[in-house]
Amino acid sequence: MRCLQCSGGSVTVNLELLRAWGVRAQRVLYPSVCLLCRGPGQPAMDLCAACQGDLPANRFCCPRCARSLPGDPDRVGRVPCGRCIRRPPAFDAGFGPLLYQAPVDRFVQRLKFQCRLVYGRLLAELLADALIASGRREMPECLVPVPLHPRRLRARGYNQSQVIARHLGRRLGLPVIPDAVSRVRPTAPQMGLTARDRRTNLRGAFVPGTRLEGATVALVDDVMTTGATVDEVARALREGGATRIEVWCAARAQ
Ligand SMILES: [Zn+2]
Ligand SMILES: [Zn+2]
């Protein structure tokens, strides 16, 4: 690159350093504001520490499907729930640190239906904080967002799971592979359907795309309700060669 001062010589530009300066300058110029109380936010987090601490945590849950479970806290978290034992899902583990309750449900709805992408960044930061705090030793090799059908994607203009996955990938230093699975069949809304009808509704809706031979994958979703959708996507990922699949959802419905 030519020097802008003397038009000669060569200057080596460290892009990572430039990006870090950019992020720092942005924080100074536009300090984060808490999206709940409008007070000062934390660095790189659009929530203050008090509001973050008040969010509904999914503390005691099934390690396989992340469903909140009552019972002995020492046992919960290590032993899969009855549903997962009776009918094991296609994924190996589930992580959903927040319950789909107020105000987290509003974060998801604003991201999904009101185009408020700042909530995607917030949900990704909360998920990343919880993953780091969990003390896990290994991360998966890549992130795959739950895909939308192309028609839905055109109508909405973005895939909310991909927005979360992109922020998460940047924070954790993991690549995002959005075309590892494609949604080839539009499906009726899942709301109001029984668990069996949800599975029937989704059958054949997802097919593998980019091969992930032998890869460990985290499938990223905004909210996990019964787990029927991520189960079908995990099946397609498995067909595409993934060997270990975790589901990471920003919010878990009870
Ligand atoms: Zn606050
Ligand atoms: Zn379970």
PDB file of all heavy atoms in Angstrom, residues 219-240:
ATOM      1  N   LEU A 219     -25.604 -25.814  16.278  1.00  0.00           N
ATOM      2  CA  LEU A 219     -26.749 -25.344  15.511  1.00  0.00           C
ATOM      3  C   LEU A 219     -27.372 -24.189  16.307  1.00  0.00           C
ATOM      4  O   LEU A 219     -27.734 -24.371  17.471  1.00  0.00           O
ATOM      5  CB  LEU A 219     -27.717 -26.521  15.364  1.00  0.00           C
ATOM      6  CG  LEU A 219     -29.035 -26.313  14.655  1.00  0.00           C
ATOM      7  CD1 LEU A 219     -28.817 -25.805  13.248  1.00  0.00           C
ATOM      8  CD2 LEU A 219     -29.786 -27.651  14.627  1.00  0.00           C
ATOM      9  N   VAL A 220     -27.452 -23.015  15.683  1.00  0.00           N
ATOM     10  CA  VAL A 220     -27.876 -21.816  16.426  1.00  0.00           C
ATOM     11  C   VAL A 220     -29.321 -21.457  16.085  1.00  0.00           C
ATOM     12  O   VAL A 220     -29.690 -21.376  14.913  1.00  0.00           O
ATOM     13  CB  VAL A 220     -26.944 -20.620  16.097  1.00  0.00           C
ATOM     14  CG1 VAL A 220     -27.382 -19.368  16.839  1.00  0.00           C
ATOM     15  CG2 VAL A 220     -25.495 -20.971  16.445  1.00  0.00           C
ATOM     16  N   ASP A 221     -30.133 -21.244  17.113  1.00  0.00           N
ATOM     17  CA  ASP A 221     -31.537 -20.870  16.914  1.00  0.00           C
ATOM     18  C   ASP A 221     -31.877 -19.717  17.860  1.00  0.00           C
ATOM     19  O   ASP A 221     -31.221 -19.539  18.886  1.00  0.00           O
ATOM     20  CB  ASP A 221     -32.443 -22.084  17.204  1.00  0.00           C
ATOM     21  CG  ASP A 221     -33.777 -21.974  16.472  1.00  0.00           C
ATOM     22  OD1 ASP A 221     -34.003 -20.984  15.754  1.00  0.00           O
ATOM     23  OD2 ASP A 221     -34.597 -22.894  16.628  1.00  0.00           O
ATOM     24  N   ASP A 222     -32.900 -18.948  17.507  1.00  0.00           N
ATOM     25  CA  ASP A 222     -33.298 -17.841  18.386  1.00  0.00           C
ATOM     26  C   ASP A 222     -34.047 -18.381  19.600  1.00  0.00           C
ATOM     27  O   ASP A 222     -33.695 -18.087  20.731  1.00  0.00           O
ATOM     28  CB  ASP A 222     -34.121 -16.785  17.621  1.00  0.00           C
ATOM     29  CG  ASP A 222     -35.312 -17.369  16.885  1.00  0.00           C
ATOM     30  OD1 ASP A 222     -35.347 -18.599  16.693  1.00  0.00           O
ATOM     31  OD2 ASP A 222     -36.209 -16.612  16.498  1.00  0.00           O
ATOM     32  N   VAL A 223     -35.080 -19.179  19.335  1.00  0.00           N
ATOM     33  CA  VAL A 223     -35.826 -19.758  20.459  1.00  0.00           C
ATOM     34  C   VAL A 223     -36.145 -21.215  20.157  1.00  0.00           C
ATOM     35  O   VAL A 223     -36.466 -21.572  19.031  1.00  0.00           O
ATOM     36  CB  VAL A 223     -37.107 -18.932  20.758  1.00  0.00           C
ATOM     37  CG1 VAL A 223     -38.004 -18.808  19.557  1.00  0.00           C
ATOM     38  CG2 VAL A 223     -37.895 -19.521  21.926  1.00  0.00           C
ATOM     39  N   MET A 224     -36.025 -22.044  21.176  1.00  0.00           N
ATOM     40  CA  MET A 224     -36.324 -23.467  21.019  1.00  0.00           C
ATOM     41  C   MET A 224     -37.589 -23.750  21.822  1.00  0.00           C
ATOM     42  O   MET A 224     -37.644 -23.457  23.021  1.00  0.00           O
ATOM     43  CB  MET A 224     -35.140 -24.262  21.573  1.00  0.00           C
ATOM     44  CG  MET A 224     -35.251 -25.752  21.466  1.00  0.00           C
ATOM     45  SD  MET A 224     -33.600 -26.396  21.916  1.00  0.00           S
ATOM     46  CE  MET A 224     -33.952 -28.103  22.174  1.00  0.00           C
ATOM     47  N   THR A 225     -38.607 -24.281  21.137  1.00  0.00           N
ATOM     48  CA  THR A 225     -39.875 -24.527  21.838  1.00  0.00           C
ATOM     49  C   THR A 225     -39.986 -26.014  22.171  1.00  0.00           C
ATOM     50  O   THR A 225     -39.624 -26.427  23.258  1.00  0.00           O
ATOM     51  CB  THR A 225     -41.048 -24.008  20.980  1.00  0.00           C
ATOM     52  OG1 THR A 225     -40.755 -22.657  20.604  1.00  0.00           O
ATOM     53  CG2 THR A 225     -42.345 -24.014  21.756  1.00  0.00           C
ATOM     54  N   THR A 226     -40.437 -26.842  21.217  1.00  0.00           N
ATOM     55  CA  THR A 226     -40.470 -28.283  21.523  1.00  0.00           C
ATOM     56  C   THR A 226     -39.162 -28.953  21.103  1.00  0.00           C
ATOM     57  O   THR A 226     -38.884 -30.078  21.496  1.00  0.00           O
ATOM     58  CB  THR A 226     -41.619 -28.983  20.765  1.00  0.00           C
ATOM     59  OG1 THR A 226     -41.386 -28.817  19.370  1.00  0.00           O
ATOM     60  CG2 THR A 226     -42.969 -28.415  21.149  1.00  0.00           C
ATOM     61  N   GLY A 227     -38.419 -28.289  20.235  1.00  0.00           N
ATOM     62  CA  GLY A 227     -37.172 -28.889  19.733  1.00  0.00           C
ATOM     63  C   GLY A 227     -37.390 -29.642  18.428  1.00  0.00           C
ATOM     64  O   GLY A 227     -36.444 -30.216  17.882  1.00  0.00           O
ATOM     65  N   ALA A 228     -38.632 -29.642  17.885  1.00  0.00           N
ATOM     66  CA  ALA A 228     -38.923 -30.394  16.662  1.00  0.00           C
ATOM     67  C   ALA A 228     -38.125 -29.843  15.471  1.00  0.00           C
ATOM     68  O   ALA A 228     -37.599 -30.611  14.665  1.00  0.00           O
ATOM     69  CB  ALA A 228     -40.421 -30.353  16.363  1.00  0.00           C
ATOM     70  N   THR A 229     -38.015 -28.511  15.365  1.00  0.00           N
ATOM     71  CA  THR A 229     -37.300 -27.910  14.226  1.00  0.00           C
ATOM     72  C   THR A 229     -35.814 -28.265  14.283  1.00  0.00           C
ATOM     73  O   THR A 229     -35.250 -28.775  13.310  1.00  0.00           O
ATOM     74  CB  THR A 229     -37.477 -26.368  14.218  1.00  0.00           C
ATOM     75  OG1 THR A 229     -38.866 -26.074  14.203  1.00  0.00           O
ATOM     76  CG2 THR A 229     -36.809 -25.738  13.015  1.00  0.00           C
ATOM     77  N   VAL A 230     -35.177 -27.997  15.431  1.00  0.00           N
ATOM     78  CA  VAL A 230     -33.735 -28.275  15.514  1.00  0.00           C
ATOM     79  C   VAL A 230     -33.457 -29.771  15.366  1.00  0.00           C
ATOM     80  O   VAL A 230     -32.404 -30.167  14.862  1.00  0.00           O
ATOM     81  CB  VAL A 230     -33.100 -27.710  16.815  1.00  0.00           C
ATOM     82  CG1 VAL A 230     -32.923 -26.212  16.721  1.00  0.00           C
ATOM     83  CG2 VAL A 230     -33.864 -28.094  18.055  1.00  0.00           C
ATOM     84  N   ASP A 231     -34.413 -30.601  15.771  1.00  0.00           N
ATOM     85  CA  ASP A 231     -34.250 -32.046  15.610  1.00  0.00           C
ATOM     86  C   ASP A 231     -34.155 -32.391  14.122  1.00  0.00           C
ATOM     87  O   ASP A 231     -33.286 -33.161  13.713  1.00  0.00           O
ATOM     88  CB  ASP A 231     -35.448 -32.755  16.266  1.00  0.00           C
ATOM     89  CG  ASP A 231     -35.150 -34.210  16.551  1.00  0.00           C
ATOM     90  OD1 ASP A 231     -34.000 -34.530  16.889  1.00  0.00           O
ATOM     91  OD2 ASP A 231     -36.072 -35.044  16.421  1.00  0.00           O
ATOM     92  N   GLU A 232     -35.045 -31.824  13.322  1.00  0.00           N
ATOM     93  CA  GLU A 232     -35.033 -32.096  11.871  1.00  0.00           C
ATOM     94  C   GLU A 232     -33.779 -31.518  11.221  1.00  0.00           C
ATOM     95  O   GLU A 232     -33.197 -32.138  10.339  1.00  0.00           O
ATOM     96  CB  GLU A 232     -36.278 -31.494  11.201  1.00  0.00           C
ATOM     97  CG  GLU A 232     -37.536 -32.307  11.404  1.00  0.00           C
ATOM     98  CD  GLU A 232     -37.434 -33.747  10.883  1.00  0.00           C
ATOM     99  OE1 GLU A 232     -36.928 -33.948   9.770  1.00  0.00           O
ATOM    100  OE2 GLU A 232     -37.852 -34.661  11.609  1.00  0.00           O
ATOM    101  N   VAL A 233     -33.360 -30.319  11.635  1.00  0.00           N
ATOM    102  CA  VAL A 233     -32.148 -29.725  11.054  1.00  0.00           C
ATOM    103  C   VAL A 233     -30.933 -30.574  11.441  1.00  0.00           C
ATOM    104  O   VAL A 233     -30.041 -30.822  10.616  1.00  0.00           O
ATOM    105  CB  VAL A 233     -31.952 -28.251  11.505  1.00  0.00           C
ATOM    106  CG1 VAL A 233     -30.714 -27.642  10.842  1.00  0.00           C
ATOM    107  CG2 VAL A 233     -33.163 -27.410  11.167  1.00  0.00           C
ATOM    108  N   ALA A 234     -30.901 -31.044  12.681  1.00  0.00           N
ATOM    109  CA  ALA A 234     -29.781 -31.880  13.139  1.00  0.00           C
ATOM    110  C   ALA A 234     -29.703 -33.170  12.325  1.00  0.00           C
ATOM    111  O   ALA A 234     -28.612 -33.645  11.992  1.00  0.00           O
ATOM    112  CB  ALA A 234     -29.933 -32.187  14.622  1.00  0.00           C
ATOM    113  N   ARG A 235     -30.871 -33.707  11.959  1.00  0.00           N
ATOM    114  CA  ARG A 235     -30.905 -34.921  11.132  1.00  0.00           C
ATOM    115  C   ARG A 235     -30.203 -34.649   9.782  1.00  0.00           C
ATOM    116  O   ARG A 235     -29.401 -35.453   9.312  1.00  0.00           O
ATOM    117  CB  ARG A 235     -32.375 -35.304  10.873  1.00  0.00           C
ATOM    118  CG  ARG A 235     -32.714 -36.719  11.254  1.00  0.00           C
ATOM    119  CD  ARG A 235     -34.205 -36.950  11.074  1.00  0.00           C
ATOM    120  NE  ARG A 235     -34.932 -36.598  12.296  1.00  0.00           N
ATOM    121  CZ  ARG A 235     -34.965 -37.360  13.383  1.00  0.00           C
ATOM    122  NH1 ARG A 235     -34.336 -38.517  13.383  1.00  0.00           N
ATOM    123  NH2 ARG A 235     -35.615 -36.990  14.457  1.00  0.00           N
ATOM    124  N   ALA A 236     -30.521 -33.492   9.187  1.00  0.00           N
ATOM    125  CA  ALA A 236     -29.911 -33.129   7.897  1.00  0.00           C
ATOM    126  C   ALA A 236     -28.407 -32.892   8.066  1.00  0.00           C
ATOM    127  O   ALA A 236     -27.610 -33.261   7.199  1.00  0.00           O
ATOM    128  CB  ALA A 236     -30.591 -31.886   7.328  1.00  0.00           C
ATOM    129  N   LEU A 237     -28.012 -32.279   9.192  1.00  0.00           N
ATOM    130  CA  LEU A 237     -26.579 -32.043   9.442  1.00  0.00           C
ATOM    131  C   LEU A 237     -25.837 -33.377   9.563  1.00  0.00           C
ATOM    132  O   LEU A 237     -24.724 -33.533   9.068  1.00  0.00           O
ATOM    133  CB  LEU A 237     -26.389 -31.249  10.740  1.00  0.00           C
ATOM    134  CG  LEU A 237     -26.589 -29.742  10.677  1.00  0.00           C
ATOM    135  CD1 LEU A 237     -26.548 -29.139  12.075  1.00  0.00           C
ATOM    136  CD2 LEU A 237     -25.520 -29.092   9.797  1.00  0.00           C
ATOM    137  N   ARG A 238     -26.488 -34.309  10.237  1.00  0.00           N
ATOM    138  CA  ARG A 238     -25.892 -35.646  10.418  1.00  0.00           C
ATOM    139  C   ARG A 238     -25.725 -36.306   9.045  1.00  0.00           C
ATOM    140  O   ARG A 238     -24.688 -36.893   8.755  1.00  0.00           O
ATOM    141  CB  ARG A 238     -26.829 -36.462  11.325  1.00  0.00           C
ATOM    142  CG  ARG A 238     -26.268 -37.717  11.902  1.00  0.00           C
ATOM    143  CD  ARG A 238     -25.382 -37.526  13.104  1.00  0.00           C
ATOM    144  NE  ARG A 238     -26.069 -37.101  14.317  1.00  0.00           N
ATOM    145  CZ  ARG A 238     -25.431 -36.757  15.437  1.00  0.00           C
ATOM    146  NH1 ARG A 238     -24.114 -36.779  15.476  1.00  0.00           N
ATOM    147  NH2 ARG A 238     -26.088 -36.372  16.498  1.00  0.00           N
ATOM    148  N   GLU A 239     -26.743 -36.169   8.201  1.00  0.00           N
ATOM    149  CA  GLU A 239     -26.664 -36.706   6.824  1.00  0.00           C
ATOM    150  C   GLU A 239     -25.526 -36.042   6.061  1.00  0.00           C
ATOM    151  O   GLU A 239     -24.905 -36.654   5.204  1.00  0.00           O
ATOM    152  CB  GLU A 239     -27.960 -36.378   6.081  1.00  0.00           C
ATOM    153  CG  GLU A 239     -28.808 -37.568   5.682  1.00  0.00           C
ATOM    154  CD  GLU A 239     -30.063 -37.080   4.992  1.00  0.00           C
ATOM    155  OE1 GLU A 239     -30.011 -36.854   3.778  1.00  0.00           O
ATOM    156  OE2 GLU A 239     -31.072 -36.903   5.690  1.00  0.00           O
ATOM    157  N   GLY A 240     -25.257 -34.782   6.384  1.00  0.00           N
ATOM    158  CA  GLY A 240     -24.189 -34.027   5.718  1.00  0.00           C
ATOM    159  C   GLY A 240     -22.818 -34.299   6.304  1.00  0.00           C
ATOM    160  O   GLY A 240     -21.845 -33.636   5.944  1.00  0.00           O
TER     161      GLY A 240
END
